[in-house]
Amino acid sequence: MEEKRSTKEVMAGFAWGPWFFSQQGERCQTLAPVKMAEEVQPDSDLQIPGGSLSIPSSPATARNDCSIMPLTPSPSPRVEVRSRVACPFSVVIAIDFGTTSSGYAFSFTQDSEAIHMMKHWEGGDPGVANQKSPTCLLLTPDLRFHSFGFAARDFYHDLDPEEAQHWLYFDKFKMKIHSTSDLTMETELEAVNGRKVRAIEVFAHALHFFREHALKEVKDQSSSVLEGEDIRWVITVPAVWRQPAKQFMREAGYLAGLVSPDCPEQLLIALEPEAASIYCRKLRLHQVIDLSMQPITNGLDLDGTRPFDSSFRQAREQLRRSRHSRTFLVESGTGELWSELQTGDRYVVADCGGGTVDLTVHQIEQPQGTLKELYKASGGPYGAVGVDLAFEAMLCQIFGEDFIHSFKAKRPAAWVDLMIAFEARKRTASPGRANALNISLPFSFIDFYKRQRGQSVEAALRRSNMNIVKWSSQGMLRLTQEAMNELFQPTISNIVKHIEELMGKLEVRGVRFLFLVGGFAESPMLQKAVQKALGRTCRIIIPHDVGLTILKGAVLFGLDPTVVRVRRCPVTYGVGVLNRFVGGRHPRDKLLIKDGREWCTDIFDRFVFVDQSVALGEVVRRSYTPARVGQRKIIINIYCSPTDDITYISDPGVRKCGTITLDLPESSAPPGAVGEAGAAVAGPERREIRATMQFGDTEIKVTAVDVMSNRSVRASIDFLSN
């Protein structure tokens, strides 16, 4: 792995959500756009000041954050229809980077109906289909990469307890990126032993691991020599992730050597529920379980003889036996399930993963089979990790929070063993189970507790008065069905509540199908709860290979990124501008006086509002001019808000979320030169910068042209600089 490389390199496309602005206007510190604000139209003869906006002696003396002024209306956004074109790459490799497990798959463009899954991993847990590898990573005491997945977990497990304290073990670290509100390139992750490392390095190590494995397997199956430019990479992220987190994954991909920052089009960011939706289009009827067709009573079929999920388990076992080839064939068109859908029919995909639950609402467009997003992505941190956290809280309640924290720090490998044991039993929990689930406590846990507290764990359990957890003389905690319900209930209730709230939205009513995907969707506990709450409202469909749905869909997305034609903006975006001050309408603290003119500063100039539809290929072109002679760099600050009721960038809920940086080459144009639009240029340094921004993809693409010299200006959008 290389040493830290610069990831601030400017590029034409940067991590920014799929949908982000449909009427783009920008605001900069030293820029004047040709854009009419909605607030007040300035006089038609208004001229841009020749110099920069200096700090004036006015009520707004300390504010220079807004220094662009709307001059003339700009054209409305227009859609450039993009038809499907042949994939310009020889192979697409997708990495599903999950909270609890990760994996990769690939497809050759000449045989795009065959999706090749990664090889079986060494190690693994008995009785569990190792379709993917656990998302855990191990660094040596001197911070070098050692291993990932089962290899990391097993090596760490075998370390001497004292030695293990010097190694850096990371598990379920993806959630840190979602939960950090001020994410930057310097954000750190804490290993189990308490040592911290830059998060970008940990993610880059993991992605580099998958890169090496995937490339070796692709080359083993390819008769031709593949170069770096022959490969398109796809990384999955939750749709509810904020833009800094999406950019973070792209930066990690660059640092891992997947692609060069100079070729950003080689790396796509796929949204997890969207990828699942793309794959669900291909499903045949025999590849799914329809929970709505299986009435239940207290978790059993009506005849009371069989757990309701038995057919799901039988189908999954049959699928597992047929996986020796690791190659899945998908329909060339849409699957049989889609033949039941008419133009305008809508469905929900609920991606229930380890860390988050991600919901997306799509509408099928026949006959082309493209997808239209009907409502902004929603969800939250309601994944299966919530059950693990509830189990840890239960242990704290029994043995004491201080003891559990001490045990995790002093016996880190034993703590990992305990959570592995719980994970195995968690997967077998079902609503119809009568007997208790046994969780083996590591010997070091029992011994450490006796040394620390001078009594047995059995005595601690009796003293806790927790009747739903028993003690087995064989050294096990026995969790009754009531205890398992208590562990699962908060997380599952959040999931069901969120789906129900989404179903109640006006834009979502009339949904015919609910697809449950993601690893947590395999849980009979979750299946029963969703079936009970929504089984009479819509058909609940679970693909047989539910844990691989996102991964396969990510490959299909890489083969054809145009399949999702319309997306929704998750928040309102805009910029801050200056406009003519109107007494009685604008507050005095927004007054800025420049060259004898009164301006209102901090006006929020909206360019897309929350939940607005943004079509694939939708572009907005805006023209700007530097406000300072001789300027070589332009910085445009972008603001966002979860609501659309915004007047000023200082309003509650509005926050700066990113910047666009434009580097200007020196101009040699003579005074009086005529720009591309036919307008006279005031002087050699007064130039027009025409920015083009394209929306509707999972990331925004930015280009800019210096009209005077007709030279391209490289642009980047940076969400990680705070």
Side-chain angles (χ1 to χ4, degrees):
M1 179 66 67
E2 299 176 9
E3 289 295 318
K4 176 184 174 183
R5 298 200 306 248
S6 171
T7 48
K8 301 279 185 187
E9 300 173 53
V10 255
M11 65 201 76
F14 227 64
W16 170 268
W19 27 64
F20 289 150
F21 10 109
S22 161
Q23 305 172 19
Q24 175 135 8
E26 288 140 52
R27 124 171 168 38
C28 66
Q29 290 182 319
T30 51
L31 202 64
V34 185
K35 163 75 172 75
M36 181 64 72
E38 299 171 359
E39 212 33 40
V40 183
Q41 295 187 4
D43 299 337
S44 59
D45 61 348
L46 178 64
Q47 301 296 317
I48 305 173
S52 62
L53 286 176
S54 59
I55 302 296
S57 60
S58 70
T61 52
R63 184 183 298 110
N64 64 351
D65 198 33
C66 293
S67 55
I68 58 174
M69 298 158 289
L71 297 181
T72 58
S74 20
S76 299
R78 64 187 182 87
V79 177
E80 294 182 347
V81 178
R82 288 191 289 168
S83 58
R84 178 177 181 179
V85 295
C87 184
F89 304 97
S90 300
V91 62
V92 171
I93 304 176
I95 300 174
D96 180 11
F97 200 114
T99 300
T100 56
S101 60
S102 301
Y104 68 85
F106 59 92
S107 178
F108 296 98
T109 54
Q110 292 184 340
D111 186 20
S112 58
E113 294 176 17
I115 298 177
H116 306 276
M117 309 305 298
M118 65 185 191
K119 293 179 180 178
H120 284 291
W121 299 99
E122 295 181 3
D125 302 318
V128 177
N130 301 318
Q131 301 169 346
K132 295 190 288 186
S133 176
T135 307
C136 45
L137 183 139
L138 184 64
L139 299 181
T140 64
D142 58 354
L143 304 183
R144 289 182 294 109
F145 175 80
H146 181 272
S147 51
F148 182 89
F150 289 116
R153 196 188 71 182
D154 295 343
F155 184 90
Y156 186 65
H157 165 273
D158 293 336
L159 286 172
D160 178 86
E162 294 301 322
E163 186 181 5
Q165 294 185 47
H166 302 288
W167 289 67
L168 286 79
Y169 182 79
F170 299 89
D171 187 22
K172 299 181 177 67
F173 51 88
K174 179 182 173 184
M175 280 300 290
K176 173 74 172 181
I177 305 306
H178 174 73
S179 59
T180 302
S181 59
D182 57 346
L183 182 67
T184 71
M185 297 291 287
E186 303 304 318
T187 296
E188 293 182 320
L189 289 177
E190 184 175 331
V192 173
N193 66 356
R195 289 183 63 184
K196 294 182 179 180
V197 179
R198 285 203 314 155
I200 192 71
E201 296 176 9
V202 175
F203 278 78
H205 279 310
L207 291 174
H208 183 76
F209 168 84
F210 280 111
R211 174 187 181 274
E212 297 303 300
H213 272 259
L215 287 180
K216 183 179 184 304
E217 191 168 351
V218 167
K219 290 175 181 177
D220 288 344
Q221 296 196 32
S222 175
S223 58
S224 59
V225 178
L226 292 174
E227 302 295 336
E229 60 268 19
D230 295 326
I231 301 172
R232 166 175 275 168
W233 293 87
V234 182
I235 301 176
T236 65
V237 302
V240 294
W241 267 16
R242 292 182 292 268
Q243 299 325 302
K246 293 174 183 176
Q247 179 188 339
F248 182 93
M249 291 302 292
R250 175 171 284 276
E251 297 285 359
Y254 292 149
L255 193 58
L258 299 186
V259 303
S260 165
D262 295 326
C263 304
E265 69 282 351
Q266 274 191 262
L267 173 59
L268 296 180
I269 301 298
L271 308 181
E272 289 167 358
E274 192 173 277
S277 179
I278 292 170
Y279 176 67
C280 287
R281 294 166 62 248
K282 303 286 187 178
L283 291 172
R284 300 177 66 90
L285 291 176
H286 71 272
Q287 295 175 312
V288 303
I289 295 296
D290 189 343
L291 289 185
S292 307
M293 306 297 288
Q294 301 177 16
I296 58 170
T297 302
N298 295 326
L300 301 177
D301 290 332
L302 288 180
D303 61 8
T305 60
R306 193 178 77 234
F308 83 97
D309 64 305
S310 61
S311 60
F312 179 81
R313 293 189 177 204
Q314 291 170 6
R316 191 172 60 187
E317 181 60 32
Q318 182 179 3
L319 189 73
R320 187 180 300 133
R321 288 197 296 267
S322 67
R323 281 199 178 120
H324 61 278
S325 69
R326 307 299 290 170
T327 298
F328 289 78
L329 299 179
V330 296
E331 295 289 300
S332 57
T334 54
E336 294 171 316
L337 201 58
W338 251 243
S339 64
E340 301 181 32
L341 293 175
Q342 304 295 321
T343 296
D345 280 350
R346 52 194 65 182
Y347 62 94
V348 172
V349 174
D351 169 23
C352 305
T356 58
V357 168
D358 231 352
L359 307 179
T360 191
V361 186
H362 278 161
Q363 187 176 59
I364 191 77
E365 296 180 314
Q366 301 287 22
Q368 66 271 35
T370 53
L371 303 176
K372 176 181 180 181
E373 189 177 36
L374 294 180
Y375 191 75
K376 64 177 180 178
S378 60
Y382 314 133
V385 170
V387 183
D388 300 340
L389 295 176
F391 176 63
E392 182 176 340
M394 179 179 286
L395 292 179
C396 290
Q397 187 175 348
I398 297 172
F399 301 106
E401 186 174 351
D402 56 339
F403 169 77
I404 294 299
H405 288 169
S406 176
F407 178 73
K408 290 171 67 175
K410 300 291 182 61
R411 300 289 187 271
W415 174 256
V416 172
D417 287 348
L418 176 55
M419 295 310 295
I420 291 172
F422 175 70
E423 176 67 25
R425 306 311 292 155
K426 181 178 74 174
R427 290 171 179 260
T428 65
S430 63
R433 188 184 183 98
N435 57 318
L437 285 171
N438 292 330
I439 309 294
S440 297
L441 285 180
F443 171 77
S444 60
F445 185 99
I446 299 172
D447 180 66
F448 193 71
Y449 187 82
K450 190 169 185 177
R451 290 171 180 268
Q452 292 285 317
R453 297 298 171 88
Q455 59 179 326
S456 67
V457 294
E458 182 179 3
L461 188 59
R462 285 197 304 267
R463 193 177 65 254
S464 70
N465 294 322
M466 189 171 286
N467 297 325
I468 58 177
V469 181
K470 309 295 183 182
W471 176 251
S472 165
S473 59
Q474 299 179 7
M476 297 182 180
L477 291 179
R478 292 178 55 80
L479 274 62
T480 64
Q481 182 62 43
E482 184 181 356
M484 294 305 293
N485 287 338
E486 189 170 299
L487 295 180
F488 276 85
Q489 190 272 335
T491 298
I492 289 179
S493 293
N494 277 326
I495 294 173
V496 172
K497 178 183 177 183
H498 204 81
I499 297 176
E500 288 179 325
E501 288 178 350
L502 179 67
M503 294 284 204
K505 302 289 184 183
L506 183 63
E507 304 91 328
V508 185
R509 289 176 184 169
V511 163
R512 291 191 57 188
F513 293 94
L514 169 63
F515 290 90
L516 282 183
V517 302
F520 197 26
E522 294 188 57
S523 167
M525 303 285 281
L526 177 61
Q527 292 174 18
K528 177 196 172 183
V530 174
Q531 183 186 22
K532 182 178 180 181
L534 300 163
R536 292 178 176 83
T537 305
C538 60
R539 291 177 62 183
I540 302 170
I541 306 294
I542 304 180
H544 287 172
D545 51 344
V546 62
L548 299 175
T549 301
I550 293 167
L551 186 51
K552 296 178 185 178
V555 174
L556 296 175
F557 176 71
L559 291 168
D560 178 20
T562 68
V563 65
V564 181
R565 195 187 61 80
V566 177
R567 293 183 172 93
R568 292 277 183 154
C569 182
V571 293
T572 297
Y573 282 92
V575 296
V577 299
L578 300 174
N579 221 318
R580 293 297 297 273
F581 187 87
V582 178
R585 181 174 183 179
H586 295 140
R588 296 291 299 177
D589 64 349
K590 301 293 184 186
L591 175 62
L592 177 74
I593 301 176
K594 173 63 180 175
D595 295 335
R597 295 196 179 215
E598 293 186 343
W599 299 93
C600 181
T601 189
D602 286 354
I603 291 175
F604 183 86
D605 185 17
R606 181 184 300 100
F607 45 78
V608 70
F609 54 84
V610 62
D611 205 31
Q612 178 176 329
S613 292
V614 184
L616 184 67
E618 191 161 319
V619 296
V620 176
R621 289 192 173 91
R622 294 288 164 85
S623 293
Y624 304 91
T625 185
R628 189 175 68 248
V629 175
Q631 193 168 319
R632 292 291 172 260
K633 185 183 290 289
I634 294 171
I635 299 176
I636 306 169
N637 291 320
I638 304 167
Y639 296 86
C640 66
S641 170
T643 67
D644 192 39
D645 184 21
I646 310 162
T647 304
Y648 303 101
I649 62 173
S650 55
D651 286 352
V654 179
R655 63 183 180 88
K656 178 183 172 183
C657 62
T659 61
I660 298 175
T661 302
L662 304 178
D663 292 319
L664 303 181
E666 290 192 19
S667 171
S668 59
V674 177
E676 185 179 290
V681 180
E685 295 299 335
R686 181 60 62 203
R687 63 217 295 172
E688 178 186 357
I689 305 300
R690 186 168 297 161
T692 300
M693 302 195 181
Q694 180 175 292
F695 317 102
D697 289 308
T698 57
E699 301 174 277
I700 188 174
K701 294 179 174 61
V702 184
T703 57
V705 175
D706 178 15
V707 174
M708 181 182 298
S709 63
N710 202 29
R711 292 176 60 185
S712 294
V713 180
R714 297 192 303 171
S716 68
I717 300 177
D718 187 3
F719 290 97
L720 293 172
S721 294
N722 289 335

